[in-house]
Amino acid sequence: MLDVQGPTLPTSPRRRRRSATLLACTAVAAVTLIGASPAIAVPVTAGTAGTTATSATRVADAPEIPAADVKAHLTQLQSIANANGGNRAHGRAGYKASLDYVKSKLDAAGYKTTVQQFTTSGATGYNLIADWPGGDANHVVFAGAHLDSVSAGPGINDDGSGSAGVLEVALTVAKSGYKPDKHLRFGWWGAEELGMRGSSYYVNQLPSTERSKIDAYLNFDMIGSPNPGYFVYGYDASLKSLFEDWFAARQIATEVDTEGDGRSDHAPFQQAGIRVGGLFSGADYIKTAEQARNWGGTAGKAFDSCYHRSCDTIANIDDKALGTNSTAIAGAIWKLSGGGSTNPPTGTSFESKTPVAIPDNGPAVESPIAVSGLTGNAPAALKVSVDITHTYRGDLTVDLIGPSGRTYRLKGSSANDSASDVVATYTVDASSETANGTWKLRVQDVAAQDSGTVNSWKLTF
């Protein structure tokens, strides 16, 4: 992270997020329009009298990122620094060797990598960009970190930690066979410590048409501080909530970051009007007594007392913070890119490709599929693949209706889900249903200001 306090940057305009209370109330009112019981909004135990709803599980959930795997990259960066004068700074051999290491890992994993050169402070700098093949190129989810250190030390926390976390998440995308709906891009920036020179060059060289395709840029600068805090960027409400909700689900308190405000590679993206978010574990600010009660560690001591010093080595890392934050990165990438199944469903499939318009804040619509020629009951792992275009998918509820009339909730409405479209594969235990018969996909928009269409959906037995 740059060692100069920068100005507070303006938050780019975004759509106002609706309250969860409004969504819940609207959902109950809207359900009555189709004559169904509001109870379908809450899963109940199979066999209970009345409408049965079973929560469907997304196949492609973000995996845990082991701290040991991230730490292995940091060990390599430490070795590179040791072999190159003790640092990995801009214009030094250690930086280029670090870039070559990261690039080799990404190339082997199947990424399309691009090395971008720029000149600053009389030396050649390098950015590394890695694109994962596939996904909608008009909707890009972008995560990055700076790869350079200061000249005083190896920069293992600042920002080897963010670089290694982003790298391991990118490699996990490849290892898991994840198929994101949106296009995934990762970046490692040069010369951040000189004033975000590499990321500024990248953004300034990017045509406006390409900037507009970036749905969000997530920045990770220092995520393994030895006396860690758990800070989230507060510039964009939905991205802030995404991370806050992730940590809250794990009973980890968070605070909005102020120490790193304007001092890292998110700043050029934000100035260009791109939504930004990210995580930070603290630098040379002092941990308060309240923060120590929330997070552990030592009050009255800096989050990272080796910040920008020669002691920022492999010993200057908290493994728990490193692993937790790296897994949070994966959670955000998976959530924002909206991917479906890691492996396409196999088996006998029945599909409807008839488009169905979704009324804005209106009654539910249904799309039927007639299944015939099968024997017995549906499987306990029935695959339901949906392709829905929608401007604000947080307003959508999506249900599967079995031949018996039972309802299986696939997706509920959520004020925290501000992305567009639903392109996903869900798994439903439909073993109590006969396979043959008419199955229906029921979709409802429960709040105003949206438009959408059910493009197609498919059942795989």
Side-chain angles (χ1 to χ4, degrees):
M1 184 175 71
L2 181 66
D3 196 19
V4 176
Q5 177 66 43
T8 300
L9 297 173
T11 301
S12 55
R14 68 174 302 277
R15 171 178 174 161
R16 178 177 60 83
R17 189 160 60 103
R18 298 176 179 84
S19 70
T21 301
L22 174 61
L23 284 174
C25 293
T26 310
V28 171
V31 165
T32 63
L33 293 174
I34 57 172
S37 167
I40 66 170
V42 180
V44 297
T45 303
T48 301
T51 301
T52 301
T54 303
S55 291
T57 302
R58 285 288 299 275
V59 176
D61 291 328
E64 291 287 320
I65 305 297
D69 293 352
V70 185
K71 197 79 174 286
H73 300 309
L74 294 181
T75 299
Q76 291 298 316
L77 295 180
Q78 179 70 67
S79 296
I80 288 169
N82 293 344
N84 291 279
N87 67 67
R88 302 179 301 101
H90 166 74
R92 310 289 181 88
Y95 178 78
K96 185 58 166 59
S98 299
L99 182 138
D100 290 343
Y101 168 76
V102 174
K103 184 177 185 298
S104 68
K105 291 290 186 181
L106 295 164
D107 287 340
Y111 279 83
K112 177 184 177 182
T113 59
T114 304
V115 176
Q116 184 182 54
Q117 294 188 23
F118 59 94
T119 302
T120 189
S121 299
T124 300
Y126 304 92
N127 293 325
L128 175 63
I129 309 300
D131 286 274
W132 183 241
D136 185 350
N138 290 315
H139 293 279
V140 177
V141 176
F142 201 154
H146 76 86
L147 189 55
D148 63 316
S149 73
V150 294
S151 59
I156 298 303
N157 187 38
D158 184 18
D159 181 35
S161 61
S163 291
V166 171
L167 173 59
E168 187 56 31
V169 169
L171 296 179
T172 300
V173 167
K175 287 184 290 187
S176 67
Y178 180 49
K179 293 176 172 55
D181 300 333
K182 297 185 178 183
H183 184 73
L184 293 184
R185 182 173 298 155
F186 300 90
W188 289 262
W189 311 115
E192 187 271 355
E193 298 291 5
L194 300 181
M196 293 85 75
R197 303 293 179 83
S199 55
S200 294
Y201 181 83
Y202 173 83
V203 173
N204 291 339
Q205 293 293 310
L206 204 61
S208 60
T209 53
E210 293 301 313
R211 292 181 188 177
S212 66
K213 295 176 182 179
I214 301 175
D215 286 356
Y217 171 74
L218 306 179
N219 194 63
F220 303 99
D221 192 347
M222 303 176 66
I223 62 170
S225 300
N227 189 30
Y230 290 90
F231 298 97
V232 301
Y233 289 13
Y235 307 102
D236 180 87
S238 66
L239 297 177
K240 170 176 168 285
S241 294
L242 186 155
F243 283 115
E244 287 176 334
D245 292 346
W246 189 93
F247 282 98
R250 289 154 181 80
Q251 298 183 322
I252 299 174
T254 56
E255 292 182 14
V256 173
D257 169 50
T258 57
E259 183 179 5
D261 196 6
R263 296 169 59 186
S264 193
D265 294 299
H266 59 282
F269 287 87
Q270 188 181 24
Q271 289 170 331
I274 296 167
R275 296 195 308 146
V276 299
L279 301 174
F280 177 56
S281 57
D284 56 358
Y285 279 24
I286 303 301
K287 178 177 280 188
T288 67
E290 182 180 0
Q291 289 170 332
R293 285 192 296 270
N294 287 335
W295 297 324
T298 305
K301 182 180 177 182
F303 295 101
D304 183 357
S305 58
C306 287
Y307 171 63
H308 282 189
R309 298 172 58 192
S310 61
C311 57
D312 187 8
T313 66
I314 194 69
N316 191 47
I317 291 290
D318 182 90
D319 287 5
K320 182 178 179 181
L322 183 71
T324 299
N325 283 319
S326 295
T327 302
I329 297 172
I333 293 296
W334 260 250
K335 178 73 171 178
L336 292 172
S337 61
S341 173
T342 55
N343 296 299
T346 58
T348 303
S349 294
F350 298 82
E351 184 172 14
S352 171
K353 293 185 177 181
T354 303
V356 178
I358 304 170
D360 182 30
N361 193 22
V365 294
E366 295 180 345
S367 174
I369 289 178
V371 174
S372 61
L374 302 181
T375 59
N377 283 11
L382 177 67
K383 305 297 183 184
V384 187
S385 301
V386 300
D387 183 346
I388 300 172
T389 299
H390 199 264
T391 53
Y392 192 89
R393 71 183 185 198
D395 289 353
L396 291 182
T397 63
V398 183
D399 297 303
L400 175 70
I401 313 299
S404 70
R406 290 175 175 168
T407 301
Y408 303 83
R409 174 53 51 91
L410 303 181
K411 177 195 175 301
S413 59
S414 171
N416 296 321
D417 189 4
S418 61
S420 59
D421 304 340
V422 181
V423 183
T425 297
Y426 302 90
T427 302
V428 176
D429 182 355
S431 56
S432 63
E433 301 278 350
T434 58
N436 292 332
T438 299
W439 297 75
K440 299 176 183 178
L441 188 74
R442 176 185 290 165
V443 181
Q444 186 170 21
D445 182 340
V446 301
Q449 303 177 3
D450 309 298
S451 62
T453 302
V454 179
N455 298 312
S456 65
W457 71 288
K458 180 169 64 175
L459 291 168
T460 303
F461 291 81

